[in-house]
Amino acid sequence: MTPPAIETDGLSKQYGDVVALDELNMTVAQGEVYGFLGPNGAGKSTTINLLMDYIKPTSGTARVLGHDPWNDVVACHQRVGICPDRFETYESLSARRHLELVIDTKRADDDPRALLERVGLADAIERPAGEFSQGMEQRLALAMSLVGEPDLLILDEPFTGLDPHGVALVRDVVEAESERGATVFFSSHVLGQVDLVCDRVGILYEGDLIAEGTLPALRDTCDLSSDATVEDIFMRLTDGSAHAGEVDA
Ligand SMILES: Nc1ncnc2c1ncn2[C@@H]1O[C@H](COP(=O)(O)OP(=O)(O)OP(=O)(O)O)[C@@H](O)[C@H]1O
């Protein structure tokens, strides 16, 4: 039987008195496009960092493509493409070299130029990444996440800091990867960007998964009309108690 792409059971993370993630139970099937949504500080990056073994849980378990993410790290990372929230480039290395490093690590045979073309960065292939703007760095990180045709693509806040062309490009990449058969799991606090691309969304608020489902199902649950946006759903679920500044529509 095909294991879920992501499965968590009671997954929790506490920093001192701060409960960043509170007993997360979540299952993402292989082939799904899952939007992991919530305001700043909800616990989205914490979840992704746990799944990628960048941090250890306080309690709970997780499986990534059937593997234990903390004890079977190499097998997990081999089949996962990650585009992190904050990406630091090697200033003196070219875009090509950044990609070659990932291609070598994953023992893949991708063409760096073809990957950079997918993210609109082919013209900068030989430029040192130290010269890149924030948006160019993000595009490079996205290209790196695509190396080796991953079974699971994890994108942490992929829309933040991108111009409208960049936002459309991320949407195109998500669609293309989904059509290829990959699972796409992305986090976003920019709720307005997700309606078009997700099969299912999970809404995280103060470390709790407060709702999960397809958008039509969530609209029904919240008694909202068929044109209600993710932001409308979010505001209804939180009784409008989220600070307006935390939710960028
Ligand atoms: N290293 C850390 N030490 C202490 N607290 C932390 C640490 N990392 C995260 N937190 C806290 O955990 C909570 C969840 O943070 P997290 O970064 O997971 O949120 P997020 O949903 O990804 O937010 P954003 O949309 O701003 O990226 C916040 O209260 C944050 O302050």
Side-chain angles (χ1 to χ4, degrees):
M1 206 179 78
T2 314
I6 297 172
E7 197 172 18
T8 70
D9 185 5
L11 189 62
S12 302
K13 180 69 183 177
Q14 200 158 338
Y15 294 102
D17 292 342
V18 177
V19 180
L21 193 65
D22 191 13
E23 304 211 349
L24 177 68
N25 299 312
M26 176 181 69
T27 302
V28 178
Q30 291 205 33
E32 262 194 307
V33 178
Y34 188 100
F36 194 47
L37 313 177
N40 294 135
K44 304 179 300 293
S45 294
T46 298
T47 306
I48 289 173
N49 292 341
L50 286 165
L51 296 174
M52 294 306 295
D53 187 42
Y54 299 153
I55 54 174
K56 303 286 184 204
T58 308
S59 59
T61 60
R63 292 258 149 194
V64 174
L65 297 168
H67 300 286
D68 177 330
W70 309 296
N71 291 311
D72 211 355
V73 186
V74 176
C76 273
H77 285 215
Q78 187 64 26
R79 297 308 315 145
V80 176
I82 170 78
C83 185
D85 188 13
R86 289 178 202 146
F87 169 60
E88 300 224 345
T89 56
Y90 298 99
E91 289 199 0
S92 61
L93 297 188
S94 66
R96 179 197 293 281
R97 196 71 197 111
H98 277 80
L99 285 162
E100 285 172 350
L101 289 173
V102 187
I103 291 166
D104 287 351
T105 307
K106 289 199 157 175
R107 296 197 188 94
D109 62 356
D110 298 76
D111 172 10
R113 180 175 293 278
L115 288 167
L116 290 170
E117 271 166 9
R118 287 188 69 185
V119 299
L121 214 54
D123 287 350
I125 186 165
E126 306 301 353
R127 281 180 67 185
E131 294 177 3
F132 284 7
S133 69
Q134 191 200 335
M136 291 169 80
E137 284 181 353
Q138 247 176 282
R139 286 168 186 244
L140 176 58
L142 181 61
M144 291 166 74
S145 74
L146 299 174
V147 167
E149 298 197 329
D151 294 328
L152 169 61
L153 191 61
I154 298 181
L155 311 175
D156 196 354
E157 299 283 357
F159 300 109
T160 306
L162 291 179
D163 60 27
H165 289 296
V167 168
L169 185 142
V170 172
R171 282 208 195 115
D172 288 348
V173 166
V174 169
E175 259 172 38
E177 290 299 291
S178 173
E179 271 169 33
R180 180 174 67 72
T183 307
V184 184
F185 180 86
F186 71 89
S187 76
S188 183
H189 69 276
V190 188
L191 304 180
Q193 302 295 350
V194 301
D195 299 48
L196 300 171
V197 288
C198 292
D199 295 322
R200 215 152 57 96
V201 300
I203 298 182
L204 198 66
Y205 185 57
E206 296 180 349
D208 275 329
L209 190 66
I210 58 171
E212 193 185 41
T214 62
L215 288 177
L218 288 178
R219 286 185 188 113
D220 274 359
T221 306
C222 295
D223 209 13
L224 289 166
S225 62
S226 59
D227 59 353
T229 63
V230 175
E231 192 189 22
D232 297 329
I233 293 169
F234 176 79
M235 294 309 274
R236 176 66 61 91
L237 287 168
T238 59
D239 285 332
S241 58
H243 306 299
E246 289 179 334
V247 186
D248 299 346

